[in-house]
Amino acid sequence: MSPAAGDDAPLRVPPLCNSCQRNRVAWSKPRVDFCYDCLPGGPFTPPPCSRCGTTTDYFSQGLCERCHPRSPERIGPCKDCLAWGVFPQHNFLCWTCRWWRQHYPQGVCDYCGRQTTVGDQGACRLCLEQARMLQEPGRALDLDGANRYGQQLFFANMHFQRRKTRRLKPANGWKTPGGWGRPGPPPKKLALAEWVQPVLVDVPPDPEMVRQKALIENSELTRYCAAIVGEHAERFGWSKRQRNDVIRSLRLLQTLRDSPTAKIRASDVLQLPRYDGNIVSTIDVLEAAGLLIEDRPRPIEAYFTKKAAGLPPTMREQLEVWMTILLDGATIAPRQRARDPLTIRIRIRSVVPAVTAWAEAGHQSLAEITAAQVRAALPENGSQRVLAEQGLRSLFKTLKARKLIFANPTRGMKGTRQNSNVPMPLDTALVREKLNSPQPVIALAVALVAFHALTAKQVSELLLTDIADGRLTLDGRSIPLADPVRERLARWLDYRQTKWPNTQNPHLIINQRSAPRLMAANRTYPWQQGGIRPQKLREDRILAEVHATGGDARRISDLFGLGIESTNRYLDTLEHPDLARVRDDVPGTSTPT
């Protein structure tokens, strides 16, 4: 209650102070209309605050302005981030949390479990500030680890700028012509040594130690290749990420190579994935810089090593001589041309079962094999017998010419006649499904084969310049493209430009691996994704043309570039009862103009 004034005292109402005016506005039913200074008969000395003991800024109910729960000057924590130093006029929210409530929804924090405003990372502002405070230089935010043992509170409205983490600096600074910690200019000439110190004990390096050392590595190799990396990135349209991966791979190689002045072996580059490095682009840069030693085994050599692993040493050496001549050819008598790796793979696959059986029988050399043993090792019939006869005949003929065996056991042996299979058409529904594929590359590849009977090799090697004015130039022939092919070609070119706008690859069909280079895509692309075999699709197109033209051999040969035997193989289907009916609904049955 207010102090009672005397009955005889005149009633004096002084002008209200700011505190009284504020109370009248803040309280709908104020208990005190005047402060102690404004009371009639005053001023009076207010009592001290019952909570903090201060004798100034008295508010009401024995509490000062700082302690009274309804005082506009009361200071408290922020409702969301718990920062100290906010006032009631802003609903006990700091400036940053007011912005958060306008841009982020309410929810449960994934790290402290409070019901509050949650940001994009699933964390409240308190957990986010705690993670920023403990963030290590050069590392991402660790919200889980930073908030595992609690949070450090802070004062409100003190973070006028987001806390930034310092850049990660090398543990041991390096000095170059550019100064401390700077790469410096590239050397004009790179010193290379021809000799390499042999390794006494081959111990694989620790991956984590290699990564840490690569962070501070700044050798002449990386500075010398920097210009080449930039030239390749601009020429082939590399992304910033790919360029940085190549630079990091060069740093790893500088750490891994035998000596600071040695060239780099391609086999060492193949080990980069275990350190999160890049292979193909790094090899391109090293080859352009003249720093690469090509020692990678060819795929056919790796296949041979796998197949001949369990054979006796003498047999394995004899097979190596045969495989080397097939692969590289022979310039001394008897001379021989090099074979295609696919042909060599088929020969090795057909010969290894017989050679393995002889090795299990106790033979150590192919010089011990007789004609009877060769006949016993051949399959009974079918295409496997034909392939085995061809492979063994090639093997023993080569070994006899190199004087590695005394006699050729396959000499005079009659070969088995190979039965040719009959080309069969594909299911029309499957062809239509692939022609309307949502992937533009599959739809275009299927259309090129279904309408114009291109081979998988021809499709993968097509260049952008081979197609002009709606005509395809292929092996000296000018082929007018069908309208469905043009439509799918336009869709693929739009997708290609959108997906790889900076690519310089001249090939028509490219993928993620070939886009930043000049090489063609794999021959199996995109057929494995499409789930259809290009050879069967090509046979289906040729069969349709054979039945549409009534078996015009000259036209079939000129239109598809077939030889006489291949043309007769398709013409023989005219008398087949299952293929006598012309299929009007199969794409490509109409005669091209």
Side-chain angles (χ1 to χ4, degrees):
M1 294 179 62
S2 302
D7 296 337
D8 298 335
L11 184 59
R12 181 173 60 88
V13 181
L16 298 180
C17 65
N18 293 333
S19 178
C20 294
Q21 295 177 0
R22 196 162 51 241
N23 286 341
R24 287 194 171 186
V25 174
W27 293 80
S28 59
K29 295 181 179 180
R31 299 182 181 179
V32 179
D33 292 335
F34 307 100
C35 64
Y36 278 88
D37 290 337
C38 300
L39 280 172
F44 298 97
T45 302
C49 178
S50 61
R51 179 175 296 179
C52 66
T54 182
T55 58
T56 60
D57 298 330
Y58 180 83
F59 184 73
S60 179
Q61 297 177 346
L63 299 174
C64 64
E65 290 183 346
R66 300 292 184 183
C67 298
H68 197 282
R70 298 301 300 270
S71 171
E73 298 296 328
R74 176 179 173 81
I75 300 177
C78 177
K79 291 182 178 179
D80 288 355
C81 68
L82 305 182
W84 181 262
V86 294
F87 295 94
Q89 58 262 38
H90 297 303
N91 196 19
F92 286 104
L93 289 174
C94 65
W95 297 340
T96 306
C97 289
R98 290 170 62 191
W99 185 91
W100 269 55
R101 288 205 173 189
Q102 296 175 2
H103 293 80
Y104 296 126
Q106 295 289 320
V108 178
C109 178
D110 294 340
Y111 303 97
C112 65
R114 296 189 302 121
Q115 179 74 27
T116 181
T117 307
V118 178
D120 295 334
Q121 297 174 319
C124 64
R125 181 168 175 260
L126 176 59
C127 295
L128 186 62
E129 293 294 340
Q130 177 72 14
R132 288 172 178 170
M133 182 177 61
L134 300 180
Q135 184 179 9
E136 297 180 5
R139 298 291 184 263
L141 289 176
D142 185 10
L143 289 165
D144 191 13
N147 295 277
R148 185 173 301 169
Y149 304 107
Q151 295 90 4
Q152 173 63 51
L153 300 181
F154 48 89
F155 290 105
N157 303 328
M158 297 293 288
H159 295 163
F160 297 101
Q161 187 176 3
R162 176 179 294 182
R163 184 185 293 108
K164 295 182 179 179
T165 306
R166 302 185 309 274
R167 288 183 175 272
L168 182 64
K169 296 182 179 180
N172 299 319
W174 30 261
K175 188 175 182 180
T176 66
W180 284 99
R182 298 181 181 178
K188 296 182 179 179
K189 186 177 181 181
L190 193 63
L192 297 174
E194 298 295 334
W195 63 273
V196 176
Q197 177 66 39
V199 179
L200 180 61
V201 180
D202 190 6
V203 179
D206 183 11
E208 186 61 29
M209 295 296 296
V210 172
R211 294 189 186 97
Q212 294 297 329
K213 189 175 181 180
L215 292 176
I216 63 174
E217 182 62 50
N218 184 55
S219 64
E220 291 186 349
L221 172 66
T222 55
R223 289 185 281 118
Y224 180 77
C225 295
I228 302 176
V229 173
E231 187 270 336
H232 274 65
E234 182 178 358
R235 180 182 179 188
F236 302 123
W238 288 359
S239 63
K240 184 180 296 185
R241 177 181 178 182
Q242 184 175 1
R243 181 179 59 187
N244 293 337
D245 285 346
V246 174
I247 295 175
R248 183 175 179 275
S249 299
L250 292 174
R251 291 183 174 182
L252 290 170
L253 290 173
Q254 174 63 24
T255 305
L256 293 172
R257 66 175 176 170
D258 298 330
S259 68
T261 58
K263 288 187 176 182
I264 298 175
R265 297 189 299 268
S267 57
D268 293 338
V269 184
L270 297 180
Q271 308 301 321
L272 288 179
R274 69 178 63 178
Y275 311 106
D276 303 328
N278 184 286
I279 294 181
V280 180
S281 300
T282 305
I283 287 179
D284 294 342
V285 171
L286 292 175
E287 187 175 3
L291 303 175
L292 183 68
I293 300 177
E294 185 58 70
D295 62 342
R296 289 177 293 176
R298 287 175 282 191
I300 188 62
E301 294 176 347
Y303 179 77
F304 172 80
T305 302
K306 179 180 178 181
K307 290 293 184 180
L311 298 177
T314 305
M315 280 190 177
R316 187 166 57 249
E317 293 175 0
Q318 293 170 341
L319 288 176
E320 287 177 356
V321 172
W322 171 59
M323 194 268 296
T324 302
I325 293 177
L326 288 178
L327 193 59
D328 301 329
T331 57
I332 60 175
R335 291 186 291 270
Q336 183 175 330
R337 293 184 300 175
R339 303 297 181 183
D340 187 88
L342 181 59
T343 302
I344 302 175
R345 188 183 184 94
I346 296 175
R347 293 282 175 85
I348 294 174
R349 186 173 56 190
S350 61
V351 165
V352 165
V355 177
T356 304
W358 295 332
E360 293 176 353
H363 296 283
Q364 300 295 318
S365 173
L366 294 176
E368 306 173 7
I369 306 304
T370 62
Q373 292 174 326
V374 172
R375 294 190 183 93
L378 293 174
E380 295 183 359
N381 50 28
S383 60
Q384 297 300 325
R385 181 181 179 90
V386 175
L387 294 176
E389 288 178 352
Q390 295 175 354
L392 291 173
R393 187 177 288 110
S394 173
L395 171 63
F396 287 109
K397 181 180 179 180
T398 301
L399 297 181
K400 178 62 173 66
R402 304 301 166 190
K403 299 182 180 180
L404 296 178
I405 59 176
F406 301 104
N408 182 2
T410 62
R411 183 177 181 181
M413 185 180 300
K414 294 183 179 180
T416 304
R417 183 177 179 181
Q418 184 175 4
N419 296 326
S420 60
N421 59 346
V422 179
M424 298 294 292
L426 282 177
D427 183 14
T428 307
L430 176 62
V431 178
R432 285 177 175 169
E433 177 188 354
K434 301 307 176 182
L435 282 173
N436 299 321
S437 173
Q439 301 185 32
V441 63
I442 296 178
L444 174 61
V446 172
L448 287 172
V449 179
F451 284 89
H452 303 293
L454 272 65
T455 63
K457 181 180 179 181
Q458 291 172 340
V459 171
S460 64
E461 295 179 355
L462 278 180
L463 303 178
L464 293 171
T465 55
D466 291 338
I467 300 177
D469 299 331
R471 304 184 73 89
L472 171 63
T473 302
L474 183 65
D475 298 334
R477 297 178 294 153
S478 181
I479 304 173
L481 295 177
D483 291 339
V485 179
R486 295 188 184 186
E487 176 186 351
R488 288 160 177 80
L489 175 63
R491 187 154 59 98
W492 162 248
L493 292 178
D494 292 342
Y495 176 83
R496 186 181 189 269
Q497 179 63 25
T498 305
K499 182 72 173 179
W500 302 286
N502 299 324
T503 181
Q504 301 295 323
N505 196 315
H507 294 87
L508 175 64
I509 293 181
I510 58 177
N511 54 16
Q512 191 68 30
R513 184 173 181 269
S514 63
R517 302 170 184 87
L518 300 181
M519 64 181 186
N522 193 290
R523 194 176 299 181
T524 60
Y525 180 80
W527 305 106
Q528 289 183 345
Q529 300 180 18
I532 187 171
R533 296 180 58 187
Q535 180 60 28
K536 293 296 183 181
L537 190 60
R538 171 180 163 86
E539 291 180 353
D540 181 85
R541 172 67 183 93
I542 298 176
L543 280 176
E545 190 68 27
V546 167
H547 287 270
T549 59
D552 190 342
R554 177 62 181 271
R555 182 166 185 165
I556 299 301
S557 179
D558 293 341
L559 185 60
F560 301 112
L562 299 177
I564 297 177
E565 294 183 0
S566 300
T567 303
N568 291 335
R569 176 171 173 264
Y570 290 99
L571 294 179
D572 291 342
T573 61
L574 286 173
E575 304 300 331
H576 198 284
D578 295 337
L579 299 176
R581 181 172 53 87
V582 179
R583 300 168 304 164
D584 296 333
D585 55 346
V586 176
T589 54
S590 58
T591 304
T593 58

